[in-house]
Amino acid sequence: EDILEQRKADDSLDAHTWYGDSVLQYPAVKEFVIPRVLPAAGYVGFLARRGVGKTTILMDLALRLAHDMDWHGQPMKMGWGAIMLAGEDPEGSKEQILAWMRMHGVEKLSPRFVWMDTIVNLLDSESLAKWVAHLQKVSGDTRFVVFGDTWQIATALGSQNEDESMQIAIMHVKKLAKAVRGPAVMAAHPPKGNEDTWSGSAVLENHSQALWKLTRATNCMLFSVPRIKGTKADYSAMFEFKPQLLGGHDEWGSPIMGIVPVKIGGEGVALSADALEKTRKARQTYADIIYLMMINAEESEEDFSRRRQTAFSMASTTRQIVAMTNAQEPGAKKLAAMGEITNDEKLVRARLDDLFRVKKAVTVDIV
């Protein structure tokens, strides 16, 4: 890594030129803080509408990282720290932190959890130098993740639709990440009517190392990673927020409480006996639906061999099950009654992958 840094500091293009097999000796590798979720450099955009719970998810992730915990069954790097920049709701942070400590039995916070009741102005070059120096002092010899809440507040003094202003903000957030030798996760709001993109200039998403999403479903919050630069992105999970009474009452006489996210489905979840039985039933129901698809495919077209193959492509099957949900067909209703989320393609695909990993005897070709 030192050799690579020296070459990058060299102003000549020869330092950045690799010939033939020398490319295979390139010392840098793609590193993750959380595999398939959080890259260890650059910045990550976390898209969520107001009030969905992005701050709660960020706080949980930051606290778990600083206390060497996994992230709900998903491994994380040990010995890292977290810096939380509470730009949106610093007043509400204390209740979230206390609720998290109570739920997880943590009596004393790790010094690797750092909280600030302000957020950087990413469009102010002069103050950025002060921020970089401060974060370097805070992190010391420990690698950190910076969590910023939110991008809109950090860039509020400029136009978020202008590429030039946002290019400056991107350059500055990368400098903050480099100061702590880790990544920066920036919570951001999507535009109205489209939860899949970052509100403002398109360069924001284009330059990000990864993109996260949090959306509201009927009985849970859906967290997904639709994009990671340079690798496959397919992580998805379901969360519910558990209230924790903290004791005492506020000025209006209501009990003081905080909320903590608990993963109830998706990857990395240790299943109880009841949850395991529910999963088995869900697998069987999915298998029954696929069997009916096969029967329908063979009865609906003369060239049923081609139709059968199409019916059992993962992508086609996923789309058909989502369509069945939207059409309120019996099979989908049965899954819904079991608490399955079948109107989200990523979650359906994850369930199908699980099914075909378990049922080794399935002989149909999966494409």
CSV table of all heavy atoms in Angstrom, one decimal, residues 7 12-20 22-23 26:
chain,number,residue,atom,x,y,z
A,7,ARG,N,3.4,5.9,-5.6
A,7,ARG,CA,3.2,6.0,-7.1
A,7,ARG,C,2.1,7.0,-7.4
A,7,ARG,O,2.1,7.7,-8.4
A,7,ARG,CB,2.9,4.6,-7.7
A,7,ARG,CG,4.1,3.7,-7.7
A,7,ARG,CD,3.8,2.4,-8.4
A,7,ARG,NE,3.5,2.6,-9.8
A,7,ARG,CZ,3.9,1.7,-10.8
A,7,ARG,NH1,4.7,0.7,-10.4
A,7,ARG,NH2,3.6,2.0,-12.0
A,12,SER,N,4.0,12.0,-12.5
A,12,SER,CA,4.2,11.5,-13.9
A,12,SER,C,3.2,10.4,-14.2
A,12,SER,O,2.8,9.7,-13.3
A,12,SER,CB,5.7,11.0,-14.0
A,12,SER,OG,5.8,9.8,-13.3
A,13,LEU,N,2.8,10.3,-15.4
A,13,LEU,CA,1.9,9.3,-15.9
A,13,LEU,C,2.5,7.9,-15.8
A,13,LEU,O,1.8,6.9,-15.7
A,13,LEU,CB,1.3,9.6,-17.2
A,13,LEU,CG,0.4,10.8,-17.3
A,13,LEU,CD1,0.0,11.1,-18.8
A,13,LEU,CD2,-0.8,10.6,-16.4
A,14,ASP,N,3.9,7.9,-15.9
A,14,ASP,CA,4.5,6.6,-15.8
A,14,ASP,C,4.2,5.8,-14.5
A,14,ASP,O,4.1,4.6,-14.5
A,14,ASP,CB,6.1,6.8,-15.9
A,14,ASP,CG,6.5,7.0,-17.4
A,14,ASP,OD1,5.8,6.6,-18.3
A,14,ASP,OD2,7.5,7.7,-17.6
A,15,ALA,N,4.1,6.6,-13.5
A,15,ALA,CA,3.8,6.0,-12.1
A,15,ALA,C,2.4,5.3,-12.1
A,15,ALA,O,2.1,4.5,-11.3
A,15,ALA,CB,3.8,7.1,-11.1
A,16,HIS,N,1.5,5.7,-13.1
A,16,HIS,CA,0.2,5.2,-13.1
A,16,HIS,C,0.0,4.2,-14.3
A,16,HIS,O,-1.1,3.8,-14.6
A,16,HIS,CB,-0.8,6.3,-13.3
A,16,HIS,CG,-0.8,7.3,-12.2
A,16,HIS,ND1,-1.4,7.1,-11.0
A,16,HIS,CD2,-0.1,8.5,-12.0
A,16,HIS,CE1,-1.2,8.1,-10.2
A,16,HIS,NE2,-0.4,9.0,-10.8
A,17,THR,N,1.1,3.7,-14.9
A,17,THR,CA,1.1,2.9,-16.0
A,17,THR,C,1.6,1.5,-15.7
A,17,THR,O,2.7,1.4,-15.1
A,17,THR,CB,1.9,3.4,-17.2
A,17,THR,OG1,1.4,4.8,-17.5
A,17,THR,CG2,1.7,2.6,-18.5
A,18,TRP,N,0.8,0.5,-16.0
A,18,TRP,CA,1.2,-0.9,-15.6
A,18,TRP,C,1.2,-1.7,-16.9
A,18,TRP,O,0.2,-1.7,-17.7
A,18,TRP,CB,0.2,-1.5,-14.6
A,18,TRP,CG,0.0,-0.7,-13.4
A,18,TRP,CD1,-0.6,0.5,-13.2
A,18,TRP,CD2,0.6,-1.0,-12.1
A,18,TRP,NE1,-0.5,1.0,-12.0
A,18,TRP,CE2,0.2,0.1,-11.2
A,18,TRP,CE3,1.4,-2.0,-11.6
A,18,TRP,CZ2,0.6,0.1,-9.9
A,18,TRP,CZ3,1.7,-2.0,-10.2
A,18,TRP,CH2,1.4,-0.9,-9.4
A,19,TYR,N,2.2,-2.5,-17.1
A,19,TYR,CA,2.4,-3.2,-18.4
A,19,TYR,C,2.2,-4.7,-18.2
A,19,TYR,O,2.7,-5.3,-17.3
A,19,TYR,CB,3.9,-3.0,-18.9
A,19,TYR,CG,4.2,-1.6,-19.3
A,19,TYR,CD1,4.8,-0.7,-18.3
A,19,TYR,CD2,3.9,-1.1,-20.5
A,19,TYR,CE1,5.1,0.6,-18.6
A,19,TYR,CE2,4.2,0.3,-20.8
A,19,TYR,CZ,4.8,1.1,-19.9
A,19,TYR,OH,5.1,2.4,-20.2
A,20,GLY,N,1.3,-5.3,-19.1
A,20,GLY,CA,1.2,-6.7,-19.2
A,20,GLY,C,0.8,-7.3,-17.8
A,20,GLY,O,0.0,-6.9,-17.1
A,22,SER,N,2.3,-7.2,-15.1
A,22,SER,CA,2.5,-6.3,-14.0
A,22,SER,C,1.2,-5.9,-13.3
A,22,SER,O,1.1,-5.6,-12.1
A,22,SER,CB,3.4,-5.1,-14.3
A,22,SER,OG,2.7,-4.2,-15.1
A,23,VAL,N,0.1,-5.8,-14.2
A,23,VAL,CA,-1.2,-5.5,-13.7
A,23,VAL,C,-1.6,-6.4,-12.5
A,23,VAL,O,-2.2,-6.0,-11.6
A,23,VAL,CB,-2.2,-5.5,-14.8
A,23,VAL,CG1,-3.6,-5.2,-14.2
A,23,VAL,CG2,-1.9,-4.5,-15.9
A,26,TYR,N,-0.7,-5.5,-9.0
A,26,TYR,CA,-1.3,-4.2,-8.4
A,26,TYR,C,-1.6,-4.5,-7.0
A,26,TYR,O,-2.4,-5.4,-6.7
A,26,TYR,CB,-2.5,-3.8,-9.2
A,26,TYR,CG,-3.0,-2.4,-9.0
A,26,TYR,CD1,-2.4,-1.3,-9.4
A,26,TYR,CD2,-4.2,-2.2,-8.2
A,26,TYR,CE1,-2.8,0.0,-9.2
A,26,TYR,CE2,-4.7,-1.0,-7.9
A,26,TYR,CZ,-4.0,0.1,-8.4
A,26,TYR,OH,-4.5,1.4,-8.2
